[in-house]
Amino acid sequence: MIFLRRIKNFFTIVLCLTLLLVVRFGYIQIAKSDVYSRLSVNQRARSVYLGDYRGTIYDRNMIPLTERDSSHLAVIFPDMVRDKSKAAYDLSRVTDYDIASLKNMLGGTAFVLPAKQADESLEEDGIYLATIPSRYSDESIASHLIGYLNPSIHKGVYGIERAYDNVLNSGGQIEYVLFSGGNLKAIKGLGAQYAVVGVKRKAYGVKTTIDYHIQKIVEEAMDKYHIDGAAVVVDVKSGQILAMASRPNFSPLSITGYLRNGNGALINKAIAAYPLGSVFKTVVAAAAIEDHAVKEGEIFYCTGSVKVNGVSYPCYKSKTHGPVDMATAFAVSCNTTFIKIGQKVGGKSIIEMAKKFGFGRKEVGFAEESSGRIPGYKDVAGAGIGNLSIGQGVLAVTPLQVADMMATIADDGVRHIPTVLQGLVDEQGNWVRREGESKSYRVVSVSTAKELQRMLRGVVTEGTGKNAEIPQGSAGKTGTAETGIDGVSHGWFAGYVPYNEPRYSIVVLAEKGGEGGAKAAPVFKEIAENILKIR
């Protein structure tokens, strides 16, 4: 009996173990079949790096500013190529490499080459053609705003690419994955495919305030007139930056050469500091009107020069304007009159007005943005008031700050702090996080703003800014700023359009371009007219 019981227990144990094995095999074959199939296939997967996986940068209407073009790539796995001489010849037709170099490369490990076209007839075992979105394009629009990447560390080092690197950069890579068998041929039904690997965090897109079409108008105008410098367009009612361009331009496709030649192509001049010249007379006039420092109709007499504490300041080209009121002096840009007005107003009031307009501050949050320089009270004591009153000396401002000031005047004295970023979006354009909402405050009274508007209009109709006039009416101020080099000056025109119903503040800086009325004003006109045709 004991023996029979032991046999029965043995078979019971065997039966239980058999049932457990059946259940386990069933679980592997049915429930986990996909997982183990993938693991098996992945053992035969071979991959090549194609690029980084980053979020897209968009304009205000979700038009992409990056990933505008596609790149054709030839992906080669040399050990799978049967006829290397034929392959080298075929690849030489669609790449920039010669046959000898390609034969040498076909003796090594897997590699990727830029292709001129996607010629599918080239595809064979070991040679595949891939097309992926290109981060940058030959168009190079808004390059200074977008910025560029350091290719060796795959991080943004300038512009939005740097400021929002933690959002745009997923840490992942786009790879071309080939599934091959033991015979070094692609596995049928699997072949090759793209994969995003190594993602450390979800990448989002960045939606800007830039209007792609206005940005394009601005850049085309600068190129047409061969302007080195900057141009900015700001929405008068919101402070949103619609365009921001800098010249010379650069291509983010190839940064190395620009880093070496040092011609300033990588500097975003729209947010770099420059002497302002006579455009600063707008600030002096605002302080004079607000403080009632100049009586209505008060006449000043220009003899061609004026002395302040023993320092002589000439009118531009030593012109003599004779008796003029403030509005006329503003229109013809009379230095001597504005120095006299500056003396009546005082350096402290002028400096405080400049600060209220936003000078001396950074606003858009880029590491490369300059705050500019506002003189200290000691700088404008004595003869220093002369330089301040005509925008010279240590004063330095950015084109964006000047566009901000003109937008404030155009909106009846209310300043909307400039913004260039609206927030983060997903791939479908849905909001993930909104940011960059503009804050507003009053800088000058409505009556002061209205008087400044009339004075800015007078510059265009009767003064130095006639080259900026458009059919809808424009208003603005010319500036010719000394650089410290004899005979070399920066040309400015800053203003807004249309005059009666202001919508756009526009600033043009022609670096080393001479007189603002001659060099910058025509570019302002071109930009203004073309914007109003489409908006």
Side-chain angles (χ1 to χ4, degrees):
M1 291 294 293
I2 295 173
F3 177 72
L4 290 174
R5 192 182 302 116
R6 286 178 178 175
I7 292 175
K8 183 178 179 181
N9 289 341
F10 173 76
F11 279 108
T12 300
I13 292 170
V14 170
L15 179 62
C16 290
L17 290 173
T18 302
L19 286 172
L20 284 172
L21 286 172
V22 169
V23 171
R24 179 61 179 167
F25 283 133
Y27 174 74
I28 291 172
Q29 289 292 323
I30 298 172
K32 288 290 186 178
S33 62
D34 288 344
V35 173
Y36 288 103
S37 294
R38 264 197 313 273
L39 289 172
S40 175
V41 169
N42 285 343
Q43 289 178 351
R44 299 180 179 183
R46 316 171 73 191
S47 62
V48 179
Y49 166 79
L50 298 183
D52 296 325
Y53 180 64
R54 290 177 72 84
T56 301
I57 300 172
Y58 299 97
D59 90 333
R60 65 192 300 106
N61 299 308
M62 290 299 293
I63 296 175
L65 298 176
T66 58
E67 284 81 24
R68 293 187 57 79
D69 287 342
S70 295
S71 299
H72 301 304
L73 303 171
V75 183
I76 300 99
F77 296 90
D79 59 340
M80 296 176 65
V81 177
R82 298 291 190 268
D83 188 340
K84 290 182 168 52
S85 294
K86 178 180 179 298
Y89 172 77
D90 290 341
L91 287 169
S92 71
R93 292 190 289 110
V94 296
T95 70
D96 290 325
Y97 290 78
D98 58 68
I99 294 174
S101 298
L102 288 163
K103 281 185 177 179
N104 185 53
M105 296 167 75
L106 285 165
T109 58
F111 60 95
V112 178
L113 296 177
K116 300 173 186 176
Q117 60 195 52
D119 188 347
E120 294 181 2
S121 67
L122 292 176
E123 289 200 332
E124 57 180 83
D125 283 332
I127 299 177
Y128 305 92
L129 292 172
T131 301
I132 64 169
S134 177
R135 183 66 177 175
Y136 306 120
S137 69
D138 290 332
E139 185 182 28
S140 296
I141 194 164
S143 296
H144 294 86
L145 174 66
I146 293 167
Y148 54 89
L149 305 173
N150 182 325
S152 62
I153 59 174
H154 310 302
K155 288 180 67 67
V157 294
Y158 200 82
I160 293 174
E161 294 280 32
R162 174 177 178 174
Y164 275 71
D165 186 70
N166 63 328
V167 170
L168 295 165
N169 184 5
S170 71
Q173 298 179 343
I174 304 171
E175 292 188 353
Y176 191 84
V177 181
L178 176 73
F179 299 97
S180 63
N183 58 356
L184 291 179
K185 290 195 173 193
I187 298 175
K188 289 184 179 181
L190 289 175
Q193 56 187 261
Y194 300 106
V196 177
V197 301
V199 173
K200 298 175 183 176
R201 53 191 171 272
K202 188 171 179 59
Y204 293 111
V206 173
K207 187 175 181 180
T208 70
T209 63
I210 295 296
D211 184 308
Y212 170 82
H213 299 292
I214 294 178
Q215 180 76 27
K216 193 169 184 180
I217 285 170
V218 168
E219 297 197 21
E220 287 176 349
M222 295 184 75
D223 292 338
K224 176 180 176 179
Y225 286 87
H226 307 291
I227 294 292
D228 279 356
V232 179
V233 180
V234 171
D235 186 307
V236 165
K237 298 298 181 182
S238 68
Q240 291 188 342
I241 300 168
L242 303 177
M244 179 189 289
S246 182
R247 287 295 185 270
N249 201 10
F250 72 92
S251 171
L253 292 168
S254 178
I255 291 297
T256 306
Y258 298 100
L259 292 170
R260 281 198 288 255
N261 67 19
N263 70 346
L266 295 179
I267 298 172
N268 186 349
K269 296 174 182 177
I271 51 177
Y274 289 86
L276 183 56
S278 291
V279 178
F280 192 74
K281 291 171 183 171
T282 311
V283 177
V284 179
I289 297 168
E290 283 282 278
D291 293 354
H292 306 287
V294 176
K295 297 175 183 177
E296 185 176 351
E298 184 174 350
I299 299 298
F300 299 85
Y301 197 84
C302 171
T303 60
S305 67
V306 63
K307 277 192 175 183
V308 182
N309 282 31
V311 178
S312 182
Y313 293 91
C315 247
Y316 187 62
K317 293 184 178 179
S318 298
K319 290 182 179 179
T320 301
H321 297 107
V324 291
D325 62 7
M326 184 166 69
T328 303
F330 190 77
V332 299
S333 207
C334 176
N335 286 347
T336 63
T337 297
F338 265 84
I339 290 173
K340 293 173 183 177
I341 292 171
Q343 289 177 304
K344 290 172 71 77
V345 175
K348 182 177 180 180
S349 290
I350 295 171
I351 289 170
E352 292 306 311
M353 181 59 70
K355 290 178 180 178
K356 288 175 70 177
F357 273 120
F359 292 169
R361 294 171 53 175
K362 296 182 180 182
E363 300 295 359
V364 294
F366 295 156
E368 60 269 22
E369 181 183 12
S370 172
S371 61
R373 291 191 304 275
I374 295 180
Y377 297 144
K378 290 182 179 179
D379 296 318
V380 298
I385 191 66
N387 275 328
L388 180 66
S389 301
I390 58 175
Q392 297 292 170
V394 299
L395 176 76
V397 302
T398 71
L400 174 59
Q401 291 170 343
V402 181
D404 177 16
M405 175 183 71
M406 287 297 170
T408 299
I409 295 168
D411 201 28
D412 292 339
V414 175
R415 180 180 184 234
H416 309 287
I417 297 175
T419 56
V420 75
L421 299 169
Q422 295 193 64
L424 311 182
V425 292
D426 62 20
E427 291 180 351
Q428 288 72 46
N430 301 312
W431 286 111
V432 174
R433 185 174 80 224
R434 290 180 183 267
E435 39 184 76
E437 290 187 12
S438 180
K439 298 177 182 178
S440 305
Y441 62 87
R442 178 163 292 284
V443 175
V444 295
S445 66
V446 174
S447 61
T448 295
K450 292 294 186 186
E451 181 59 29
L452 291 171
Q453 290 169 13
R454 288 189 286 271
M455 291 171 64
L456 291 166
R457 178 63 179 155
V459 172
V460 176
T461 58
E462 303 168 11
T464 57
K466 292 178 181 178
N467 287 333
E469 178 66 312
I470 63 171
Q472 299 90 335
S474 56
K477 183 71 185 78
T478 58
T480 305
E482 296 177 0
T483 63
I485 303 172
D486 286 343
V488 179
S489 56
H490 301 315
W492 290 83
F493 191 87
Y496 61 88
V497 293
Y499 173 65
N500 288 323
E501 296 181 0
R503 294 170 60 195
Y504 305 106
S505 166
I506 304 171
V507 168
V508 176
L509 162 67
E511 187 177 30
K512 299 178 182 178
E515 293 185 22
K519 189 73 172 180
V523 184
F524 173 98
K525 177 181 180 178
E526 178 95 1
I527 292 170
E529 287 183 334
N530 287 330
I531 290 175
L532 294 177
K533 285 178 184 177
I534 66 167
R535 292 286 182 266

